[in-house]
Amino acid sequence: MLAAAAVEPHERVLDLGLAGRPAGLELDAAGIHFVSPDLRAVRFCEDAIRQMALDNACAWLEVSPAVLAGPWFDAVLYAPARWESKARVFELIDAAFGKMAMHGRFLLAGRRNAGVESYRRRLEAVFGPVETATSKSGFRVYRSQKRTPETGALPVDATHVFEEEELPGGPYTFEASAGVFSSRGLDPGTRILIDTVDVTAGDLVLDLGCGYGAIGIAAANRAREVRLLDSDLLAVRSARRNVVRNRLANTRVALSDGFEAVTGRVFDLILCNAPTHEGVATARRFVHGAARHLESKGRFAVVAMRPGLYLKQMKRVFDTVDQLEFRKGYTVLCARDAKSAIPAA
């Protein structure tokens, strides 16, 4: 993708990421602007900029490049993650078009079995003709050029609103931006976790990795107070809108990498729809962090389709781990009685 971009030293580059991480930091360009709503990705980029001693690069924590002020971009680089929603990819293509200089290039990379052909069609609708810059072993790089000031496509519907009447304390109205997990409706794991775990009136509850906030919001009508945390700005803004939509006065939402926004606080109940796709490092941080942020009688409950990863970590740091439910392929685990000596995460 970098070779196909053919970036010149005087040009400015908009970097939308390679599966979420910066793609173009090694380019010889006048400016490289990495944009992501993921706090962890932005910090990763900032660390790389410092380590490489770059004076031509910066990282922006934003949901869209459309909000950036300043110069037009001569080249855009984007390789969506395999799990990225189609509507979110289309939204970013549209937003990037609006920030590009005339005759600027948009480079989009991906695999045929991961949706890149539908992305190519969106490029064609927005920009016009699309050329194949690289095609090898199912991996493709497509290149478009901005030839007109106006896009050739109508905007995508990137926000979904839906009702949930059967959850405890409902009915609820939820709004979710494309790119937030299960943005078109409540996923089965979230529903099963909400149905399974008891929340009492005196509980101080934490929804870890809250997404658009369904778990924490459903808990808020039964709990004393609720905190919702997520590292994705898209999710945090959706959750904040949903707190307002559902008129909750005891609920707060914060952008946070793990538990950092609640350092020093402890909770009676921590709830999490486990992000098992992020692997062992995230599982370890979440489980060990939960053990350090629970009251002495507190509980940590997770739901997962493949619970082994979390079960193993829970047994390392909690004396008691119970399976509360197994339904529709989802397992709800509940840990309590954190060990006095918690191994380093």
Side-chain angles (χ1 to χ4, degrees), residues 35-319:
V35 179
S36 173
D38 189 320
L39 178 62
R40 296 169 300 176
V42 169
R43 287 177 173 171
F44 176 89
C45 185
E46 290 172 338
D47 287 343
I49 289 170
R50 283 192 292 269
Q51 292 171 13
M52 298 168 69
L54 299 176
D55 59 7
N56 65 336
C58 59
W60 299 88
L61 180 69
E62 295 289 355
V63 299
S64 169
V67 303
L68 298 184
W72 300 104
F73 295 101
D74 303 291
V76 180
L77 309 175
Y78 188 27
R82 293 177 65 91
W83 58 84
E84 190 65 88
S85 78
K86 184 184 295 186
R88 174 62 177 163
V89 175
F90 289 6
E91 182 183 35
L92 287 174
I93 290 172
D94 295 355
F97 178 93
K99 298 301 297 182
M100 291 172 64
M102 289 299 296
H103 309 296
R105 294 96 62 207
F106 193 117
L107 282 295
L108 188 141
R111 295 192 175 277
R112 289 191 64 185
N113 62 0
V116 74
E117 290 305 305
S118 65
Y119 305 157
R120 180 196 62 78
R121 290 191 290 271
R122 184 64 184 181
L123 283 177
E124 192 170 50
V126 171
F127 287 89
V130 176
E131 65 175 310
T132 303
T134 302
S135 180
K136 185 177 181 180
S137 301
F139 183 82
R140 304 249 173 116
V141 177
Y142 291 113
R143 181 169 52 215
S144 297
Q145 187 174 41
K146 183 171 180 178
R147 296 178 174 87
T148 62
E150 300 295 330
T151 176
L154 294 174
V156 295
D157 182 6
T159 302
H160 310 292
V161 179
F162 54 95
E163 303 285 334
E164 283 292 339
E165 298 183 355
E166 298 179 0
L167 297 179
Y172 301 97
T173 302
F174 293 114
E175 172 188 332
S177 298
V180 178
F181 173 67
S182 194
S183 63
R184 293 183 178 272
L186 200 66
D187 68 289
T190 291
R191 188 181 300 276
I192 290 167
L193 182 65
I194 292 170
D195 289 344
T196 300
V197 180
D198 292 328
V199 180
T200 65
D203 283 342
L204 177 57
V205 178
L206 174 65
D207 180 356
L208 179 64
C210 66
Y212 54 81
I215 293 171
I217 287 171
N221 279 321
R222 296 172 285 167
R224 172 166 55 98
E225 187 179 334
V226 179
R227 291 289 181 269
L228 290 80
L229 305 181
D230 205 290
S231 63
D232 190 313
L233 190 58
L234 273 172
V236 166
R237 290 182 177 175
S238 291
R240 285 174 176 161
R241 290 193 292 269
N242 288 327
V243 167
V244 173
R245 275 180 176 272
N246 292 283
R247 300 174 182 175
L248 297 170
N250 65 339
T251 306
R252 299 290 182 272
V253 185
L255 184 71
S256 181
D257 183 5
F259 292 86
E260 66 179 13
V262 292
T263 299
R265 297 203 66 178
V266 290
F267 298 86
D268 302 295
L269 176 62
I270 299 175
L271 299 168
C272 180
N273 188 339
T276 53
H277 67 282
E278 293 191 9
V280 66
T282 295
R284 187 182 299 117
R285 286 199 309 124
F286 277 21
V287 174
H288 290 223
R292 294 185 174 93
H293 287 82
L294 283 174
E295 293 279 8
S296 59
K297 301 290 185 180
R299 298 166 291 153
F300 176 43
V302 303
V303 63
M305 290 194 74
R306 295 179 294 278
L309 184 63
Y310 276 74
L311 179 61
K312 180 179 179 180
Q313 296 300 324
M314 285 173 154
K315 287 183 173 180
R316 290 185 66 196
V317 298
F318 290 95
D319 286 328

